[in-house]
Structures are given as structure tokens and as C-alpha cells.
Amino acid sequence: MARIIAGIGSSHVPAIGAAIDNGKTEEPYWKRVFSGFEKSQEWMRETKPDVAIVVYNDHASAFSVDIIPTFALGCAAEFPPADEGWGPRPVPVVQGHPALASHIAQSVILDEFDLTICNKMEVDHGMTVPMNLLFGQIDKNSHWPCPVIPLAVNVVMYPPPTGHRCFMLGRAIRKAVESFPDDLRVVIFGTGGLSHQISGPRAGLINSKWDKAFLDNLSKDPQKLVKIPHVDYMREAGAEGIEMVMWLIMRGALDDKVDEVYRFYTVPASNTAVGHIILANRPRGAKGSKAPRKPKPAARHKRAAARAKVERIRS
Ligand code: DHB
Ligand code: FE
């Protein structure tokens, strides 16, 4: 059985990608950002997931404003980097996992989430920047360390999906993964955010108090976040802060109780608050996890004694 072992939240600021691609990661401004991901890269190297599902948003790179799917799942064998205006980023082509992706599409659609199935798709910074932050800089002629299933979410044109819908889609993805027969250890990324607004009179808006409360609740009390309406994200986190609903798909795919492995927050990168979190599911059967636990020996003995008594009475 496949299993989601951890969720990763990460901002996807395009300037981070430009800093990597142009060799600026050691400059003090950027070092502050990248040093916050060193432990995460170490965790990723140790964790060695078999597959990553990356929930991200396309920025009119693969989809123009002509066609805007709310949820689009990448079922292709590979996903080339998109040309975002300066040519494609020099990163490897992303290898997909068509068997697991098709299985997720079937399970989730039959569970009444109407996904768009993408058998051909390019991917932009929304996906490749968080992958660089977690997997490190990788030569474009080399390959990413594991296959990736992209899940693109519309957060660029009103109306995006609600936080509740996103969380429930995460639940459906978890069910889909757990009904896949191969033993795969899967991680799921929620990307975008945190607070930022790129244009208009409030351009440059950052709300650290809101961001930190979001990270706290994501870790400990996600049901509080599920109820937040779009207008609150817009008011408190800026127009592009709405990207944060994508983190709720990641959180919905995890168990109710998780262990916070790592967190990082810094302001700013470009005009954006950078947030990052790693949440791990507890091993099945551990305290606080939902898996059925074996009865305690004392309870087992009591039950066996009761059964023996019934048998004695019957005979
Ligand atoms: C910027 C763009 C993004 O898509 C984002 O999520 C954050 C920042 C930018 O243009 O700076
Ligand atoms: Fe974005």
C-alpha cells in the first residue's frame, strides 16, 4: 500500500528561482533565504520519498487565461519547464508517475472531485522553485531525485476553490494514495504564499502576524483555517496571499495529528513573505494516530478469560 508520510509547505517566489539560476545564492540577501532550507534538504535526502505530489499554481504559463481549470492533475510521463518570459528555467524535465497519477484521478473523480486530467503540461516556477528549495540545485541535464505528480490549482482568477474544498480534496487524495497497491512512500507539497501582493495600491503588503498564526494552525488546528473565507485572505494576506489555500490540500492529505519537523519564516524575498514547514505523519499505530491499535495485553487477557467463561457455561 502506498502512504503519505509527510507534507511540505513552501513559498514559490520566482526571484528565488532567478537567484539560483544566476548564481546569487551566496549573496547575503539570498543566503538568508536559502540557509532556512538547508535542514529541509538534509531531511529530504534522509527521507528519500518514492514520489512527490506537488500542489502548485500555474501563472498563465501552461494555461493561458483562455482555459482555467480549478484543479488539474498531471498524468503525463514528463513535464518540461515552461517559458515564463525569459525562456524556460534551466532545471531538469520533471518525470511524472502516470500509474499513481491515473489512480488518483480515478479515485478522486469517483469521489466527486471533478479534476481536469492533463496528459501534456509544462510547469512553471510555482512548482520548480519549491522543488529546488527542497531538493537543491540540480543540473538541467541531470534529474530530480524522485518522480513528481503535479496538481495545479486555480488561484489566479476569481473564483479560486474554498479552503474547505481544498482540505477535502487533500482527504480524497490521501484515500486514493492509500488504495494504490504498490509500497510507495509519498510526500505532498503545498506551495505559494505566504502574505504578498504584487500590484495595486497595497503592493508590497506583508502580514507576519497572520502568516505565523497560519503556520501555527496548519500544524495544530487546521480546522480553524478551513473556515477562512477568501475575503479574509485578500484583506489580511494581500491579493496573492490567496495562494495559501493550496497548503490546505497538503494538510488535508495528512493525519489530524502530525509532528512539526521543521519551520522557517523570513521577510522579504522580492515582495513576498517566505514560509516553510515540514509536517510528518506519525507511524501508523503510534499514539495520536488514527490507525487501529492492538488491544493492551491486559484487555486481551480479560477478553480471553471472558470467552473461556462463556465456553465453560455452554459446555
Ligand atoms: C512574485 C510572484 C509570485 O507568483 C509569487 O507567488 C510571489 C512573488 C513576484 O513576482 O515577486
Ligand atoms: Fe505565485
Side-chain angles (χ1 to χ4, degrees), residues 12-14 59 125 196 198 243 270 272:
H12 65 212
V13 189
H59 300 74
H125 70 269
H196 64 299
I198 294 167
E243 289 178 347
S270 182
T272 310

XYZ file of all heavy atoms in Angstrom, residues 12-14 59 125 196 198 243 270 272, ligand 1:
95
model
N 6.904 30.007 -3.290
C 7.461 29.688 -4.612
C 7.936 30.944 -5.364
O 7.945 30.968 -6.589
C 6.435 28.902 -5.441
C 5.193 29.672 -5.797
N 3.961 29.057 -5.927
C 4.980 30.981 -6.092
C 3.069 29.968 -6.273
N 3.657 31.137 -6.374
N 8.330 31.955 -4.601
C 8.741 33.251 -5.167
C 9.650 33.086 -6.410
O 10.729 32.481 -6.301
C 9.507 34.068 -4.105
C 9.745 35.489 -4.585
C 8.789 34.051 -2.769
N 9.275 33.612 -7.563
C 10.082 33.403 -8.770
C 11.493 33.972 -8.658
O 12.430 33.429 -9.253
C 9.289 34.113 -9.874
C 8.296 34.978 -9.182
C 8.044 34.371 -7.847
N 1.077 30.164 -13.406
C 0.946 31.626 -13.501
C 0.784 32.015 -14.961
O 1.616 32.729 -15.529
C 2.164 32.315 -12.899
C 2.391 32.009 -11.446
N 2.884 30.811 -10.998
C 2.190 32.766 -10.337
C 2.982 30.828 -9.666
N 2.564 32.009 -9.243
N 7.525 28.303 -12.329
C 8.217 28.480 -11.040
C 7.370 28.027 -9.857
O 7.902 27.672 -8.816
C 8.630 29.951 -10.862
C 7.471 30.886 -10.644
N 6.822 31.526 -11.674
C 6.827 31.280 -9.512
C 5.854 32.277 -11.192
N 5.828 32.145 -9.887
N 1.491 38.207 0.424
C 2.119 39.075 -0.578
C 1.074 39.669 -1.510
O 0.027 39.078 -1.753
C 3.219 38.379 -1.381
C 2.826 37.225 -2.269
N 2.251 36.077 -1.797
C 2.975 37.025 -3.601
C 2.070 35.212 -2.796
N 2.486 35.776 -3.913
N 1.323 41.790 -5.268
C 2.305 42.185 -6.278
C 1.965 43.512 -6.953
O 2.852 44.233 -7.389
C 2.458 41.048 -7.312
C 3.084 39.833 -6.625
C 3.327 41.461 -8.492
C 3.009 38.577 -7.427
N -2.970 32.310 -2.510
C -2.237 31.073 -2.845
C -2.167 30.114 -1.651
O -1.988 28.913 -1.818
C -0.804 31.406 -3.295
C -0.737 32.079 -4.653
C 0.696 32.440 -5.077
O 1.625 32.403 -4.233
O 0.869 32.763 -6.251
N 12.025 39.193 -2.569
C 11.293 40.021 -3.537
C 10.249 40.797 -2.723
O 10.622 41.441 -1.749
C 10.705 39.105 -4.610
O 10.042 39.829 -5.582
N 7.728 39.316 -1.053
C 6.907 38.235 -0.502
C 7.456 37.730 0.824
O 8.670 37.660 1.011
C 6.884 37.069 -1.528
O 6.548 37.596 -2.791
C 5.909 35.994 -1.144
C 6.010 37.007 -7.069
C 5.281 36.178 -7.899
C 4.638 35.072 -7.383
O 3.975 34.178 -8.150
C 4.670 34.814 -6.026
O 3.961 33.780 -5.553
C 5.406 35.639 -5.200
C 6.073 36.730 -5.724
C 6.758 38.163 -7.628
O 6.564 38.482 -8.802
O 7.553 38.753 -6.901
